């Protein structure tokens, strides 16, 4: 039996070769698209982190300013005045360092500090957690009192 090639008909080997080539092209296209999506996501995350970092630095700077003002109101040379002044300077320095450092540098610094001083790090983390909890509870209490005092907003139970 002779194999005759009919015009317009392709051999199974040619079809398999074409399919393999097409699959390779699609794979490369998918890799490129995935890389672009990952790069966009990383860029967006970095922008969000930088924005949050700037916001925290601004907040720390504001607290430092308030502490300086409070220190100026206290008796000259008193322990409270010195303490408030030192805390204000520490916060101002930390705020400036936060503005000038990249997020990855800050993570490395915190990791190095945690390795060198694990008890201080854990104690600080616990204090921050307690402060955040108290702040959240205080905020929730203020919101619920404001809502309860508003006419026409009767509540028959706490559903939050």
């Amino acid at each position: 039996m002779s194999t005759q090639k009919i015009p317009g008909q392709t051999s199974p080997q040619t079809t398999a070769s074409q399919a393999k080539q097409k699959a390779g092209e699609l794979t490369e296209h998918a890799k490129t698209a995935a890389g672009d999506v990952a790069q966009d996501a990383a860029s967006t995350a970095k922008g969000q982190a930088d924005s949050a970092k700037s916001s925290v630095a601004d907040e720390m700077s504001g607290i430092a300013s308030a502490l300086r003002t409070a220190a100026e109101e206290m008796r000259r040379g008193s322990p409270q005045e010195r303490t408030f002044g030192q805390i204000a300077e520490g916060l101002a320095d930390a705020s400036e360092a936060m503005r000038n450092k990249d997020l990855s540098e800050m993570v490395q610094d915190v990791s190095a500090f945690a390795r060198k001083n694990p008890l201080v790090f854990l104690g600080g983390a616990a204090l921050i957690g307690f402060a955040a909890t108290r702040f959240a509870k205080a905020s929730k209490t203020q919101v619920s009192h404001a809502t309860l005092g508003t006419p026409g907003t009767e509540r028959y139970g706490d559903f939050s």
Side-chain angles (χ1 to χ4, degrees), residues 60-140:
M60 287 173 64
S61 182
I63 292 170
S65 178
L67 284 172
R68 276 193 203 104
T69 302
E72 290 170 1
E73 298 291 321
M74 295 182 177
R75 185 173 43 94
R76 235 339 147 216
S78 71
Q80 295 87 358
E81 186 255 347
R82 286 192 306 269
T83 302
F84 275 41
Q86 289 172 347
I87 292 171
E89 289 307 311
L91 280 174
D93 291 345
S95 171
E96 198 59 35
M98 185 178 286
R99 285 183 207 284
N100 295 331
K101 284 192 175 187
D102 189 332
L103 190 61
S104 62
E105 289 176 301
M106 290 171 41
V107 169
Q108 289 173 352
D109 289 349
V110 169
S111 295
F113 179 80
R115 276 190 228 101
K116 290 178 186 174
N117 308 298
L119 291 177
V120 174
F121 178 76
L122 290 175
L127 284 175
I128 290 171
F130 291 136
T133 301
R134 289 193 49 87
F135 178 75
K137 284 183 180 179
S139 296
K140 182 178 178 183

